Amino acid sequence: MAETVQLQVEICYAAPDFQIRKPVRVDAGATVQQAIMQSGVMRECTAIDLTVCRVGIYGKLKTLETVLRDRDRIEIYRPLIADPMDSRRRRVAKKG
């Protein structure tokens, strides 16, 4: 019987008042969504809603269906509160 290959990945989420960095072992062929569900971070932080939050691997946006590689760092991003371009325009207008 062949042994199942396991990958080591890390799930990361940051909120203003806390952060989560959780190592997880998943089977080869697992997706981003499977790793997040397996990690239990959604039970720890009820603010995480995968229908709203975007995800990435090492800062690059990915889909929940992306197949993982060993040592990937999965990042769960909070929804934007303000449009970055509008914020920049307001800062420039304040200075000038």
Side-chain angles (χ1 to χ4, degrees), residues 34-61:
Q34 289 169 331
I36 292 170
M37 301 306 272
Q38 184 177 324
S39 74
V41 296
M42 293 180 67
R43 285 188 302 273
E44 289 178 39
C45 181
T46 56
I48 298 173
D49 178 356
L50 293 181
T51 62
V52 177
C53 296
R54 298 174 92 182
V55 295
I57 297 176
Y58 289 114
K60 295 194 187 274
L61 286 177

Side-chain angles (χ1 to χ4, degrees), residues 2 10-11 15 18-19 26 32 37-38 40-41 43 53-55 59 62 67 73 77 80 85 87-88 93:
E10 183 177 42
I11 310 293
F18 72 97
Q19 68 178 6
V26 296
V32 168
M37 301 306 272
Q38 184 177 324
V41 296
R43 285 188 302 273
C53 296
R54 298 174 92 182
V55 295
K62 301 292 180 180
V67 176
R73 183 182 69 220
Y77 307 118
L80 292 176
M85 288 302 291
S87 298
R88 183 176 182 282

Side-chain angles (χ1 to χ4, degrees), residues 4-8 24-31 34 38 67-68:
T4 304
V5 176
Q6 294 253 296
L7 308 176
Q8 180 69 41
V24 180
R25 293 192 79 66
V26 296
D27 291 339
T31 64
Q34 289 169 331
Q38 184 177 324
V67 176
L68 296 169

